[in-house]
């Protein structure tokens, strides 16, 4: 029997307990021993809930109990999670977490600490909810040099964009509806401004390239400026707008960014809709692979956490090697990243078209039914810097979206 | 340093050597030690090839060298692979293989033998080429009870169906083209009759349900009877025809089958086209996940084999637990499996329509531009047995395709 403690009895924490109850038999079989929840740490009490007798309010009870071998940290946020997790590892306990803020900020340090203590710090649920992506990156794609990781990593924004696309609705009304349905939080900034995606692509990039990618260094744009007119243009192109977190290695440079981008049906992420997530990986020998599934939700996320618990239980006394050094990976300046740009200008006069042709050279005009008095086009591929230098000469630019085809 | 031997210097074998050469530095880093190819077993010589000095023709040299810790078996076919692999395991060597025939037939036995010898028998490349699916099933989806696995598991047939769909061409001409391009073998029976898919879904089902699923027990239909008219109907329905290997648990019954099926864009496998493979898994807590990538090809397959070598090297002396008992899983009779059926009848008279309505009750008529003098419809959901009982009363049935929506 292996004793575990769950820190935080919120959505994911209660999901972990539920998964262990529902699938206990098969989990224990796969684990080779019984998993027993000894403590649940929460500030609240849960009178009437069968887990009430396991509730403790003092973290020290958990960390000082040598019987507890595995800590499930599902509180979220950097503190006090970081302090609790670090102390747990120092006391020789493995930690399984769904906490992307913690992993993005302190992942490298906690992995190194785990190595010295011969325990494990596992975080499958921190990216892509239930989708197996951390373990595949760490253990399955070991023969490859990763060239690119691009993901739809946030279910809320993907739901909003899908809804806007399917119903032609505008951003604000879809956001309100998503909030009512519980798909978006009351304070949705972390999702819609791309911060959540940013932390997740930072974690994936760190694992892919084996060095610390700081999320603060990643250029991040959200979806708040996407309008129904943009969606109409996308449809006219047979394309779709997705909020993508992407990092790409070109020679010795790594570029990372979060932004809405246009993709076509030939891209494996095109058909990742609603609250689903998808993570596309390109390796230099495996080629293109993609992982798809529920990027959030109580049970899918708990499934990933419990799978980590099983792995931790099977590896008590052995550290599973994870290449993520605390040495910082200096990202290349985004100004050198190359794309095509979809540009909308509030002026469809012949003079403007001539001016655009003069400045940008060849462009591909895009028309969308129901959007008038605009000139919209896709440029040739150019760096962000060159684009900005050119675009400064054109006033009346309404918006740009980067193009992945 | 860990010494390995490669059995078979064909497409995959030479790919393994290439991947180890190209990505050697990062592979050795992830492995924690250098991987050295000591022998390559092949009947042929390769004068001029830098690997010539490693070529041996006698398997006994390999198996009797205690320095060789890991065997890469990429010869294909059950014999002599089985004899070589079994002897290697008995001599305390781990084995990594891409050989689906071997794994489908002897997987359970070789896993059990590996366990007793504290070595590993790994076979990521035997299903889905480079796509990580075996390790995720075995190590990531451990918190779930698997309810369904459905896969596009054969690149050749998926290429043919995609081509038929995109170009409106008939089966025979697309097959010929695929053979010319090297996407289909000269003797394509194993692919187009579904035998290859059958072995792969047998392996996945055995892992998902933890017991031996014999491929001989799986009802298998290929794609040779799919015509351009079927494709036209599929398009008219907004659907797509895919050769699927599927197994599904309903209460205590497991059904498995291989057959062409109709799927809609809402299914994650819908957009898996050309030579790509996709594997859809439904767990009782994780919900739906899908894995996508190159299902074949020299380097993608070699990538999966080398990832297994890295895993084997990291686990020397420790068996990685895999639940696949040699106890046979008795599949439920396919006659009880329930679907909707797409039925084409060479008679569009009112009498026939009345007869169909009388026999099948409510059906959904399907019309396709360019296909005349037929009556085509989709039935309500019913078991295979009930369908057959009803269909026997109607002559002139041209064909049926099972419907996944």
């Amino acid at each position: 029997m292996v004793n575990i403690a769950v820190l935080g009895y919120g959505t994911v924490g209660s999901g972990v307990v539920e998964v262990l109850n529902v699938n206990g038999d098969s989990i224990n079989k796969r684990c080779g021993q019984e998993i027993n929840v000894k403590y649940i740490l929460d500030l609240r009490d849960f009178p009437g809930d069968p887990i009430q007798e396991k509730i403790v309010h003092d973290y020290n009870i958990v960390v000082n109990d040598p019987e507890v071998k595995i800590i499930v940290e599902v509180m979220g946020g950097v503190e006090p999670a970081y302090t609790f997790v670090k102390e747990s590892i120092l006391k020789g306990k493995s930690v399984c977490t769904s906490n992307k803020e913690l992993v993005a900020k302190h992942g490298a340090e906690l992995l190194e600490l785990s190595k010295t203590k011969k325990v494990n710090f596992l975080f499958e649920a921190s990216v892509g909810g239930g989708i197996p992506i951390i373990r595949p990156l760490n253990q399955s794609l070991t023969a490859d040099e990763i060239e690119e990781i691009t993901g739809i990593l946030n279910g809320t924004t993907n739901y909003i964009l899908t809804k806007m696309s399917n119903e032609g609705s505008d951003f604000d009304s879809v956001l309100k509806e998503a909030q009512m349905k519980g798909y978006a939080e009351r304070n949705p900034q972390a999702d819609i401004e791309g911060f959540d995606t940013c932390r997740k692509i930072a974690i994936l990039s760190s694992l892919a390239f084996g060095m610390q990618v700081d999320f603060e260094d990643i250029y991040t744009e959200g979806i708040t400026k996407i309008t129904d007119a943009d969606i109409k243009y996308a449809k006219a192109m047979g394309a779709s707008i997705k909020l993508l977190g992407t990092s790409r290695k070109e020679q010795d440079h790594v570029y990372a960014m979060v932004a809405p981008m246009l993709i076509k049906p030939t891209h494996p992420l095109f058909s990742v809709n609603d609250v689903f997530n998808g993570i596309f990986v390109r390796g230099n020998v495996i080629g293109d692979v993609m992982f798809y599934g529920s990027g959030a939700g109580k049970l899918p996320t708990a499934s990933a956490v419990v799978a980590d618990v099983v792995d931790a239980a099977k590896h008590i006394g052995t550290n599973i090697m994870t290449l993520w050094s605390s040495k910082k990976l200096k990202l290349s300046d985004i100004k050198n990243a190359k794309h095509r740009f979809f540009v909308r200008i509030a002026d469809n006069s012949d003079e403007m078209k001539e001016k655009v042709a003069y400045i940008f050279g060849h462009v591909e005009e895009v028309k969308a039914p129901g959007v008038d008095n605009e000139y919209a086009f896709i440029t040739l591929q150019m760096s962000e810097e060159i684009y900005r230098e050119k675009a400064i000469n054109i006033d009346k630019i309404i918006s740009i979206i980067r193009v992945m085809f």
Side-chain angles (χ1 to χ4, degrees), chain A:
Chain A
M1 188 173 82
V2 58
N3 284 298
I4 74 170
V6 178
L7 312 188
Y9 196 59
T11 306
V12 181
S14 60
V16 166
V17 172
E18 186 177 335
V19 169
L20 287 169
N21 285 335
V22 172
N23 290 345
D25 287 351
S26 68
I27 291 168
N28 293 339
K29 201 171 159 195
R30 287 184 183 271
C31 192
Q33 57 187 319
E34 192 196 335
I35 294 172
N36 177 53
V37 178
K38 186 165 182 183
Y39 303 113
I40 296 169
L41 179 80
D42 205 288
L43 293 174
R44 299 162 292 179
D45 280 307
F46 297 87
D49 190 314
I51 58 89
Q52 173 58 36
E53 60 185 49
K54 299 182 174 185
I55 289 282
V56 291
H57 303 299
D58 179 3
Y59 172 70
N60 292 302
I61 296 171
V62 177
V63 79
N64 290 320
D65 185 338
E67 280 190 354
V68 174
K69 300 294 181 199
I70 299 167
I71 300 286
V72 170
E73 187 281 300
V74 285
M75 300 186 292
V78 174
E79 281 296 354
Y82 171 64
T83 305
F84 289 0
V85 166
K86 190 170 175 178
E87 214 177 316
S88 300
I89 294 171
L90 285 169
K91 295 263 184 183
K93 300 176 199 307
S94 286
V95 174
C96 308
T97 183
S98 60
N99 185 336
K100 60 191 168 287
E101 291 93 350
L102 174 68
V103 178
K105 184 98 187 149
H106 298 290
E109 179 201 351
L110 296 169
L111 280 168
E112 277 165 26
L113 202 60
S114 304
K115 199 173 170 184
T116 63
K117 301 298 291 183
K118 288 197 178 164
V119 296
N120 287 291
F121 177 64
L122 303 173
F123 45 91
E124 182 64 75
S126 67
V127 180
I131 307 170
I133 177 62
I134 303 293
R135 197 170 285 103
L137 263 185
N138 195 32
Q139 288 174 40
S140 290
L141 302 182
T142 49
D144 276 75
E145 306 265 2
I146 306 297
E147 295 175 343
E148 179 187 339
I149 299 196
T150 298
I152 295 173
L153 299 167
N154 179 272
T156 304
T157 45
N158 205 39
Y159 174 83
I160 292 173
L161 290 171
T162 305
K163 213 63 179 160
M164 285 175 73
S165 179
N166 289 347
E167 297 173 8
S169 331
D170 65 290
F171 177 79
D172 290 329
S173 58
V174 176
L175 173 60
K176 265 181 206 146
E177 194 200 317
Q179 285 173 315
M180 272 169 50
K181 285 193 177 170
Y183 290 164
E185 295 181 35
R186 269 201 223 162
N187 186 340
Q189 260 55 42
D191 293 323
I192 63 178
E193 297 293 359
F195 306 145
D196 177 80
T197 298
C198 174
R199 276 167 181 77
K200 291 170 176 169
I201 193 67
I203 294 170
L204 294 177
S205 307
S206 299
L207 283 171
F209 304 117
M211 290 167 72
Q212 173 68 22
V213 174
D214 286 336
F215 67 89
E216 297 93 337
D217 296 347
I218 298 176
Y219 174 83
T220 299
E221 253 179 51
I223 62 162
T224 53
K225 289 176 196 155
I226 301 296
T227 65
D228 43 346
D230 292 320
I231 303 279
K232 282 177 187 161
Y233 279 114
K235 282 191 176 173
M237 290 183 255
S240 181
I241 302 171
K242 300 288 186 188
L243 180 65
L244 301 181
T246 183
S247 68
R248 188 190 292 256
K249 191 170 192 172
E250 287 173 9
Q251 285 97 39
D252 291 336
H253 303 284
V254 176
Y255 299 96
M257 77 187 303
V258 175
M261 299 196 198
L262 282 156
I263 57 175
K264 285 246 173 158
T266 45
H267 197 292
L269 295 176
F270 180 83
S271 40
V272 177
N273 288 317
D274 298 313
V275 294
F276 283 96
N277 282 197
I279 298 130
F280 168 89
V281 183
R282 175 169 290 165
N284 73 334
V285 290
I286 203 172
D288 296 351
V289 291
M290 199 265 281
F291 305 81
Y292 166 97
S294 292
K298 177 176 176 170
L299 292 180
T301 308
S303 161
V305 174
V306 173
D308 275 353
V309 171
V310 171
D311 218 12
K314 282 160 81 176
H315 285 90
I316 282 176
T318 322
N319 177 259
I320 302 163
M321 183 169 36
T322 305
L323 288 187
W324 177 353
S325 126
S326 56
K327 198 175 152 197
K328 183 168 164 152
L329 178 68
K330 197 169 153 22
L331 293 175
S332 289
D333 195 320
I334 202 69
K335 73 182 185 190
N336 300 317
K338 285 180 181 164
H339 315 272
R340 296 170 75 204
F341 294 84
F342 168 67
V343 185
R344 286 170 57 200
I345 301 179
D347 177 352
N348 66 347
S349 67
D350 288 344
E351 292 73 31
M352 179 53 81
K353 290 183 183 180
E354 276 167 30
K355 190 172 177 184
V356 165
Y358 178 75
I359 293 173
F360 281 100
H362 177 75
V363 298
E364 204 175 295
E365 182 168 0
V366 183
K367 292 186 181 185
V371 188
D372 302 314
N373 304 319
E374 289 191 4
Y375 178 45
F377 57 87
I378 301 179
T379 68
L380 294 175
Q381 193 178 63
M382 61 187 71
S383 70
E384 297 265 341
E385 183 175 36
I386 299 279
Y387 169 78
R388 265 180 263 155
E389 281 171 10
K390 290 178 185 288
I392 209 163
N393 299 304
I394 302 178
D395 47 7
K396 300 195 186 168
I397 289 183
I398 302 170
S399 64
I400 62 153
I401 302 178
R402 290 162 186 89
V403 176
M404 269 230 166
F405 50 85

